[in-house]
Amino acid sequence: MATVEEQETAEQREKRREEVHIEIERIAALSSTLTVKPAKAAFFLSISEKELENRRGRKEPPPPTPTWVAGQKGVPVSYFARTLFEYIRGEPISQINPYGNALFGINLGANAAAANASADRRARSMMSPMRWDATSSVQADDNMEPFFIDALNRVMMHCWEDYTKTSDYFFSELVEIEWLQWDDALSMVWEDESSRLNWLGIADAVAPGLRVVVEDKRKAMFSKI
């Protein structure tokens, strides 16, 4: 039986996805102290976690919280949700600049608005999160994809698999995001095994050979237990 996602057109899915973004932005704007880890920040910005790390290295916005010190080991990196919201909207960034004098004379908010806001919106609208749809390619060598992970390190779902849960999971302190290759994600233990098996069925149709790779990885993983 076709799922709701499969029955929808690409335009309808993109509209619903944009509505989730708006809801996340609305909630983020309500708190000046709520922070998220880099994996969730990258998901919010519709960029990869690696790209967000590169931006920190280049001291580009959006900035992490002021507790971050470049190159200092053992200091966790986090982002104010409000800062991410301001950055997406191209608004002046209200937090303290953690980059020191590197951006002296440059307003972080103005820089974000001029150089990045419109590009981020385009990237967000062009991003293809529908990799679970049978019409899309699901291959082991694709870029990293975001998955919600519970406290037991089980995969809960691809971050865009169920729009009704995306916002709740994003703001839950008990749920993290991990960026994984599809074969690695499908090799892990899932909260719902039937969901994992469903993905393997899709893999058979759109990425021949992925199921074998996944099963080999799972055998290797369980053999170490």
Side-chain angles (χ1 to χ4, degrees), residues 37-58:
K37 294 180 179 179
K40 284 189 176 181
F43 174 70
F44 182 92
L45 298 171
S46 292
I47 62 176
S48 70
E49 189 175 6
K50 182 63 178 177
E51 170 58 22
L52 187 58
E53 180 183 351
N54 290 341
R55 291 188 185 187
R56 289 198 300 274
R58 297 191 298 263

Side-chain angles (χ1 to χ4, degrees), residues 45-90:
L45 298 171
S46 292
I47 62 176
S48 70
E49 189 175 6
K50 182 63 178 177
E51 170 58 22
L52 187 58
E53 180 183 351
N54 290 341
R55 291 188 185 187
R56 289 198 300 274
R58 297 191 298 263
K59 297 184 177 181
E60 296 176 353
T65 59
T67 58
W68 178 80
V69 180
Q72 184 171 330
K73 295 182 178 180
V75 178
V77 182
S78 61
Y79 288 80
F80 285 125
R82 178 182 287 272
T83 294
L84 301 178
F85 171 82
E86 292 169 343
Y87 175 73
I88 281 287
R89 292 300 189 194

Side-chain angles (χ1 to χ4, degrees), residues 14 17 46-47 122-129 146 160 179:
E14 179 57 27
R17 179 174 169 273
S46 292
I47 62 176
R122 287 197 303 273
R124 186 174 59 183
S125 65
M126 294 171 62
M127 183 182 176
S128 177
W160 287 116
W179 290 77

Side-chain angles (χ1 to χ4, degrees), residues 190-222:
W190 284 50
E191 185 180 52
D192 181 0
E193 175 64 6
S194 64
S195 178
R196 189 187 76 87
L197 293 176
N198 179 62
W199 283 114
L200 282 178
I202 294 175
D204 276 341
V206 300
L210 182 59
R211 175 188 282 269
V212 175
V213 173
V214 168
E215 294 302 342
D216 287 344
K217 285 191 173 185
R218 280 177 67 83
K219 288 178 182 178
M221 177 182 67
F222 286 121

Side-chain angles (χ1 to χ4, degrees), residues 13-179:
R13 286 195 297 266
E14 179 57 27
K15 181 179 179 180
R16 286 209 302 139
R17 179 174 169 273
E18 181 64 18
E19 289 172 350
V20 173
H21 263 293
I22 292 172
E23 176 64 9
I24 290 176
E25 290 173 8
R26 184 190 68 80
I27 297 174
L30 297 177
S31 173
S32 60
T33 59
L34 176 66
T35 61
V36 295
K37 294 180 179 179
K40 284 189 176 181
F43 174 70
F44 182 92
L45 298 171
S46 292
I47 62 176
S48 70
E49 189 175 6
K50 182 63 178 177
E51 170 58 22
L52 187 58
E53 180 183 351
N54 290 341
R55 291 188 185 187
R56 289 198 300 274
R58 297 191 298 263
K59 297 184 177 181
E60 296 176 353
T65 59
T67 58
W68 178 80
V69 180
Q72 184 171 330
K73 295 182 178 180
V75 178
V77 182
S78 61
Y79 288 80
F80 285 125
R82 178 182 287 272
T83 294
L84 301 178
F85 171 82
E86 292 169 343
Y87 175 73
I88 281 287
R89 292 300 189 194
E91 299 172 355
I93 293 175
S94 58
Q95 72 164 75
I96 296 173
N97 178 5
Y99 294 146
N101 294 328
L103 290 176
F104 181 77
I106 300 176
N107 181 280
L108 274 177
N111 188 51
N116 296 288
S118 62
D120 277 338
R121 289 192 186 97
R122 287 197 303 273
R124 186 174 59 183
S125 65
M126 294 171 62
M127 183 182 176
S128 177
M130 302 301 168
R131 295 178 185 273
W132 55 85
D133 182 68
T135 61
S136 301
S137 174
V138 183
Q139 297 182 24
D141 61 350
D142 273 348
N143 291 330
M144 308 289 271
E145 290 286 328
F147 294 84
F148 286 119
I149 307 294
D150 68 12
L152 298 177
N153 200 39
R154 299 177 302 180
V155 176
M156 302 174 74
M157 69 175 202
H158 185 285
C159 287
W160 287 116
E161 184 174 354
D162 186 339
Y163 292 96
T164 63
K165 298 178 180 178
T166 298
S167 182
D168 289 340
Y169 285 168
F170 181 87
F171 287 103
S172 172
E173 295 182 356
L174 301 178
V175 179
E176 299 295 343
I177 287 179
E178 189 168 345
W179 290 77

